Amino acid sequence: MKVLVINAGSSSLKYQLIDMQTEKAVAKGGCERIGIEGSFLKHKANGKEVIIEKAMPDHKVAVQLVLEALADKDHGAISSMNEIDAVGHRVVHSGEEFTGSVLITPEVLKKIEALSDLAPLHEPANVTGIKACMAIMPSAPQVAVFDTAFHSTMPDYAYMYAVPYEDYKCYKVRRYGFHGSSHLFVSQEAAKYLGRNDLKIVTCHLGNGSSISAVKNGKCMDTSMGFTPLAGVPMGTRSGDIDPAIIEYLGAKKNMSVSEVLTYLNKKSGMLGISGVSSDFRDLSAASEAGNDRARLALDMFAYATKKYVGAYAAAMGGIDCLVFTAGIGENDSFIRAKVTEGLEFLGVEIDKEENNKRTGDIHDITAKGGKVKVLVIPTNEELVIARDTARLSE
Ligand code: ADP
């Protein structure tokens, strides 16, 4: 069985074709600048990478071009689009409507569209991707896999905000959390690796966007992102948690509307805003090593905020058996892993410095000898979670 995984953004569309027998991607790529001049498709398969520059006025044209690339005699991975058995879509928000992945029917699609208020930038783009695939591949089952769904098991006292209860009831103001497929994947991989399901795991998805989750016995108990992905630790360009009163104060001082302040907090803040150098941790490390104190400060703030979540979630779960690092920073940045775990010996978290400095590209145990808490580096694979659910629901 082959599953096409689609992640549609407003002007982009990423894809992977996954062979479910091997659970490996046989082709992957992405369309950029959809609906904008200069659109192109970057496609990788058969050990070849090609860039196809073609006008993509909308997502339907983009999907058509992806299918042509996938079935191309030279750089394709299938002989015709009929070999695609099902399509799995990454959908950012499930609201409280869905608590797991779902086969997309016209009724389901309407419900997903109705969730756009909760994620006005992402949900309409996801819907556009779904509609384009439904139009071009009408006989392939389409499945929605939500970024929020893994967090639907949080207890009410973890997901509620202390605003008047009616606002939760009427407007669904609450913590949802994101990166759910990643937290699910790495916590399952950790349980498999350790051969146990009764585990208290803290998963740190540290990438461009970062979130930390508390996973007890396979279920999410709490997570650091909130109503939107702006909450939690400071990120590449997002502020993470701030006192909400700052929004009015900054708006008045800088003559910005609420929505301008929010854009500022989403795009100009975080590591970029603090350092003035970059949102990329590789640039920040280089700058910090070269003596840039604001880059040093940004890295210290990130590690400190992450460490605080590890401690908080160990308290929330009544202990911690395993700490997982994943995503771009979690998988690659040994300095951040060392900084986050430094001083957590009282919790039983200790890492082996040499192991921490190795990069294996696979599950990697960096626990110090005698360390009570297993510390694991686990490459995430959100696409595989989407493909597995798609295969299961379309059989
Ligand atoms: P996303 O999927 O959210 O776009 P990723 O999980 O790919 O993000 O993470 C991207 C980030 O990971 C980069 O911005 C960079 O800060 C960090 N990163 C990637 N590779 C390295 C590395 N070798 N060392 C340190 N940081 C890295």
Side-chain angles (χ1 to χ4, degrees):
M1 179 178 200
K2 289 198 177 73
V3 173
L4 179 62
V5 175
I6 296 282
N7 181 359
S10 56
S11 66
S12 69
L13 186 142
K14 292 191 210 133
Y15 62 93
Q16 282 196 11
L17 184 65
I18 298 183
D19 182 337
M20 295 315 291
Q21 224 161 15
T22 58
E23 294 202 323
K24 296 266 185 268
V26 290
K28 58 170 88 171
C31 304
E32 303 274 339
R33 302 180 64 85
I34 301 171
I36 310 171
E37 219 168 292
S39 46
F40 63 92
L41 161 66
K42 205 185 217 180
H43 171 87
K44 252 193 203 169
N46 278 335
K48 288 184 190 160
E49 184 174 305
V50 288
I51 292 179
I52 300 160
E53 288 175 25
K54 259 202 181 147
M56 293 179 217
D58 57 37
H59 285 70
K60 232 159 124 179
V61 177
V63 171
Q64 193 67 55
L65 285 174
V66 168
L67 295 178
E68 281 169 22
L70 287 170
D72 189 273
K73 283 208 170 59
D74 175 53
H75 51 257
I78 47 177
S79 52
S80 97
M81 85 176 201
N82 296 333
E83 280 183 46
I84 298 171
D85 297 292
V87 185
H89 295 269
R90 181 186 192 199
V91 178
V92 72
H93 222 302
S94 62
E96 289 192 325
E97 191 67 57
F98 306 100
T99 55
S101 305
V102 60
L103 190 67
I104 303 173
T105 60
E107 199 192 16
V108 165
L109 187 58
K110 267 197 208 127
K111 286 185 179 166
I112 296 175
E113 273 186 291
L115 293 166
S116 291
D117 263 5
L118 293 173
L121 290 180
H122 294 104
E123 205 86 346
N126 299 153
V127 168
T128 308
I130 294 171
K131 285 184 173 166
C133 290
M134 285 175 114
I136 295 172
M137 292 175 275
S139 55
Q142 314 271 331
V143 170
V145 180
F146 300 95
D147 232 21
T148 46
F150 179 58
H151 305 302
S152 66
T153 51
M154 284 188 284
D156 53 4
Y157 53 81
Y159 70 68
M160 285 297 290
Y161 289 123
V163 295
Y165 195 77
E166 312 79 87
D167 295 335
Y168 162 62
K169 279 300 197 198
C170 286
Y171 302 117
K172 305 291 175 202
V173 171
R174 54 162 284 182
R175 178 189 309 281
Y176 291 99
F178 300 87
H179 295 140
S181 298
S182 178
H183 290 288
L184 167 70
F185 182 79
V186 298
S187 56
Q188 282 181 342
E189 287 289 291
K192 236 193 282 171
Y193 180 82
L194 298 173
R196 279 173 60 188
N197 289 318
D198 58 329
L199 288 165
K200 296 169 184 136
I201 309 177
V202 176
T203 49
C204 303
H205 176 108
L206 311 179
N208 256 330
S210 295
S211 64
I212 329 292
S213 291
V215 184
K216 191 174 180 180
N217 303 331
K219 294 215 160 96
C220 180
M221 298 278 298
D222 205 344
T223 192
S224 62
M225 282 179 165
F227 179 69
T228 75
L230 184 54
V233 294
M235 310 172 208
T237 63
R238 294 188 190 121
S239 63
D241 292 334
I242 60 161
D243 181 335
I246 292 170
I247 295 172
E248 189 197 23
Y249 179 79
L250 259 188
K253 291 284 180 201
K254 293 177 71 97
N255 197 22
M256 293 193 287
S257 66
V258 169
S259 101
E260 282 168 340
V261 177
L262 284 173
T263 304
Y264 179 85
L265 294 174
N266 267 301
K267 306 245 175 209
K268 298 227 156 68
S269 302
M271 302 294 100
L272 174 67
I274 291 294
S275 69
V277 172
S278 172
S279 62
D280 193 301
F281 278 60
R282 288 161 287 199
D283 302 336
L284 292 171
S285 295
S288 174
E289 273 164 32
N292 183 319
D293 197 51
R294 277 172 55 186
R296 187 273 311 155
L297 172 63
L299 293 171
D300 277 352
M301 286 172 70
F302 179 82
Y304 178 65
T306 305
K307 187 201 303 253
K308 285 206 293 187
Y309 272 104
V310 175
Y313 288 166
M317 293 190 289
I320 171 170
D321 302 306
C322 178
L323 174 63
V324 177
F325 288 100
T326 192
I329 298 155
E331 290 168 34
N332 296 302
D333 196 327
S334 55
F335 172 79
I336 288 293
R337 291 194 299 257
K339 270 270 186 200
V340 169
T341 50
E342 186 183 87
L344 291 183
E345 296 79 12
F346 77 98
L347 273 182
V349 174
E350 276 179 85
I351 61 166
D352 182 302
K353 285 202 178 78
E354 253 174 60
E355 285 302 322
N356 184 41
N357 286 329
K358 286 185 198 157
R359 195 177 302 170
T360 67
D362 206 344
I363 296 192
H364 183 199
D365 188 340
I366 60 168
T367 318
K369 267 211 180 75
K372 275 191 278 174
V373 175
K374 278 282 171 201
V375 186
L376 304 175
V377 178
I378 305 183
T380 195
N381 195 341
E382 293 160 90
E383 291 78 11
L384 185 54
V385 171
I386 297 172
R388 282 176 178 164
D389 272 11
T390 302
R392 176 172 58 82
L393 288 168
S394 57
E395 260 162 17

